[in-house]
Amino acid sequence: MTDGRLVEFSEWETSEQTEIAGDIASRFGGYRKSGILDGEPFEGGGTKTIQFARTSEDWRIAALAWYDQP
């Protein structure tokens, strides 16, 4: 991402569901993205899941996975 191949990148959430059980939370959501890669505009989207663990100070990301739709 620092070599300049990807510019004007943007990503935004399009749907979400969050469940909290004690000190763990799971968020599942859809997203869209756009930008310019190697001089060519692109758009796409997919799904993400993020798991969080609550510490004595705040929430921390414990795991993250995503799937880009072809």
Side-chain angles (χ1 to χ4, degrees):
M1 294 188 84
T2 60
D3 64 1
R5 292 182 56 220
L6 177 63
V7 296
E8 297 183 33
F9 180 78
S10 183
E11 183 177 284
W12 57 97
E13 197 170 53
T14 58
S15 64
E16 58 82 17
Q17 179 178 344
T18 303
E19 294 185 20
I20 300 172
D23 290 336
I24 59 171
S26 294
R27 186 174 184 95
F28 184 81
Y31 67 91
R32 297 290 303 160
K33 63 183 178 176
S34 66
I36 299 174
L37 179 61
D38 294 330
E40 297 293 324
F42 75 90
E43 292 184 4
T47 56
K48 287 186 180 181
T49 181
I50 307 171
Q51 283 70 50
F52 299 89
R54 186 183 351 230
T55 69
S56 60
E57 298 174 11
D58 55 15
W59 288 94
R60 300 290 174 106
I61 295 174
L64 169 73
W66 70 92
Y67 174 73
D68 284 337
Q69 295 171 341

